[in-house]
Amino acid sequence: MRPRIQALSRDLYDHPELSLRERRSSAALQRFLARERFSVRRGVAGLPTAFVARRRSGRGGPRLAFLAEFDALPQIGHACGHNLIGAAACGAAAVVGRLLEGRRGEVLVIGTPAEETIGGKVQMARRGVFRGLDAALMFHPSAEDRVYTTSLACHSIEVVFEGKEAHAVAAPEKGINALTALLRLFAEVERILERATPEVRIPGIVVEGGQRANVVPGRAVGRFSLRARDLATLARVERAFRAATRRAATSVGARARIRFIDLPYAHMRTNRVMADLFKEELKDLGRATIDTPRKSMGSLDMGNVSQVVPSIHPYVAVAPPGTPLHSRPFARCAGSARGRAGLDVATQALARTALVLLDEPRLLDQARREFRHGGGGAA
Ligand SMILES: [Zn+2]
Ligand SMILES: [Zn+2]
């Protein structure tokens, strides 16, 4: 099946589409799966390009899902390599689907759009799309091979300070300076960070800070991205941020409004039992993984899936070490022979891991037990 899987990846690569507009890419993946006798339901969870494809054999048995991302970035196309993710998920599912004959269970591909913007999986998890699955597997292209993935919980906030305009030179005392409140909030954020654990991050920007220098700004708007190692820590950071916002507003007599501008991203709980299996398969395919903790972390919408079902989000190298994601060099790699080699390894490792889970109920039980006992935290 290798040539067809590679052609699918190439097709996505040559026609990059932005988040929530990935109609062509989503359709290409669905067509591939329909030919492999999967039944496809599209437009799930209120997202037109999201889909669930399934193929079953017998009654009962495990339900294993491969997750497919397929959105690209403006200007730089598939610089996150989601063309490879989509192709690997469909390829692995097709292989396992064919081998389902004589086994019991169901293999699914869940098409998860808009990873780069709203985090399609966050909305899909909230709508219950991943409920009832026994395992969720995907891979992400990278510049290194790494199976034990961690990510930060994340929530984006908009703060609006309302003050009062006045002549900034002739009668500043008649105004209430909303920008001053916002700048004080930035200073307060520095203090929160001084007291917080090192992985807490609160980057922010000024969206609106007045119109003219000679008018006291009556309105100031900032946006912040709150990040923490897990949801519990994130909740504490949120409380501190709210208190800081109130203090900043009170200090100038302004009013403050806080609005969350997205759904919260949960931290990634990598299932160790499944990650160990994937690592063994990678080793078998000639890849040595890096198992030390990652120095820098972002947030993943897979984190929300990993709170609902035992999950893995391993990285497979498709680029030379040090190549940053979301760069032109990475985009070139995602469409090169190196990308195809990574796709091949990832597809095989995904399919083999799923087959082991199908054939060895003991391991699937172990994975479930670990999940129930809260394993795979942010450690
Ligand atoms: Zn990305
Ligand atoms: Zn990505």
Side-chain angles (χ1 to χ4, degrees):
M1 296 188 69
R2 187 173 287 128
R4 289 186 48 222
I5 296 169
Q6 287 183 358
L8 183 59
S9 159
R10 187 78 221 175
D11 188 20
L12 265 55
Y13 187 82
D14 287 338
H15 305 91
E17 296 173 303
L18 298 180
S19 303
L20 298 176
R21 289 192 244 152
E22 323 94 325
R23 272 182 287 273
R24 192 185 182 286
S25 308
S26 178
L29 300 181
Q30 291 172 36
R31 216 166 31 244
F32 179 96
L33 291 164
R35 281 201 201 115
E36 290 292 327
R37 295 170 46 201
F38 281 70
S39 62
V40 183
R41 189 160 59 87
R42 52 168 191 265
V44 300
L47 299 167
T49 49
F51 68 87
V52 175
R54 53 183 95 219
R55 183 171 172 179
R56 150 163 296 284
S57 169
R59 281 166 164 273
R63 302 182 70 225
L64 310 177
F66 298 102
L67 270 51
E69 298 175 2
F70 40 81
D71 58 332
L73 293 154
Q75 271 104 50
I76 47 178
H78 274 295
C80 210
H82 294 183
N83 60 309
L84 302 169
I85 302 179
C90 293
V95 170
V96 177
R98 289 182 182 193
L99 296 171
L100 266 185
E101 301 286 316
R103 293 178 161 99
R104 267 182 343 117
E106 188 171 58
V107 56
L108 300 92
V109 175
I110 303 185
T112 63
E115 194 281 331
E116 298 289 359
T117 56
I118 60 159
K121 296 180 202 69
V122 176
Q123 182 163 328
M124 294 172 81
R126 179 162 283 214
R127 302 271 191 108
V129 172
F130 306 103
R131 240 178 259 149
L133 295 174
D134 292 290
L137 302 88
M138 66 171 285
F139 102 99
H140 199 293
S142 174
E144 58 188 25
D145 296 298
R146 180 184 284 281
V147 295
Y148 306 106
T149 304
T150 51
S151 74
L152 298 176
C154 165
H155 211 175
S156 300
I157 284 185
E158 185 176 87
V159 182
V160 179
F161 288 106
E162 309 265 17
K164 198 165 77 180
E165 282 90 4
H167 197 295
V169 183
E173 72 283 355
K174 294 204 170 111
I176 294 173
N177 195 324
L179 179 60
T180 301
L182 181 56
L183 296 176
R184 286 188 182 160
L185 175 56
F186 273 92
E188 291 267 5
V189 161
E190 290 302 317
R191 279 197 284 281
I192 295 175
L193 291 173
E194 278 164 21
R195 289 193 304 265
T197 44
E199 84 296 334
V200 171
R201 302 262 192 285
I202 314 182
I205 56 164
V206 176
V207 177
E208 211 183 305
Q211 303 293 329
R212 288 193 173 177
N214 62 358
V215 179
V216 172
R219 184 182 147 92
V221 181
R223 282 191 173 190
F224 298 84
S225 178
L226 274 46
R227 312 274 179 132
R229 71 195 305 260
D230 53 33
L231 287 171
T233 313
L234 186 67
R236 281 198 294 279
V237 172
E238 268 177 34
R239 276 198 298 279
F241 186 89
R242 279 178 188 281
T245 304
R246 280 195 298 272
R247 278 196 301 277
T250 314
S251 73
V252 299
R255 271 182 319 178
R257 267 187 294 124
I258 283 182
R259 182 170 73 90
F260 289 105
I261 47 183
D262 65 2
L263 297 169
Y265 281 52
H267 58 282
M268 177 73 203
R269 287 175 60 189
T270 290
N271 188 275
R272 269 208 170 249
V273 174
M274 287 162 56
D276 287 347
L277 289 176
F278 192 88
K279 181 186 151 135
E280 272 306 300
E281 299 302 344
L282 278 189
K283 206 163 108 192
D284 216 40
L285 292 159
R287 298 277 182 127
T289 54
I290 303 170
D291 300 333
T292 52
R294 247 191 341 168
K295 282 194 283 294
S296 64
M297 268 195 276
S299 298
L300 301 171
D301 63 357
M302 188 64 179
N304 295 53
V305 180
S306 76
Q307 307 292 323
V308 184
V309 47
S311 301
I312 52 168
H313 181 287
Y315 292 98
V316 173
V318 307
T323 314
L325 285 170
H326 293 197
S327 71
R328 282 184 201 281
F330 199 90
R332 277 195 293 278
C333 289
S336 72
R338 209 167 183 143
R340 284 192 295 281
L343 170 63
D344 196 58
V345 165
T347 309
Q348 290 192 62
L350 283 170
R352 291 180 184 192
T353 303
L355 284 168
V356 173
L357 291 173
L358 274 174
D359 288 344
E360 301 197 32
R362 182 182 54 86
L363 286 172
L364 196 56
D365 274 346
Q366 265 178 36
R368 280 202 209 96
R369 239 189 338 266
E370 178 194 319
F371 178 78
R372 273 201 305 274
H373 292 130

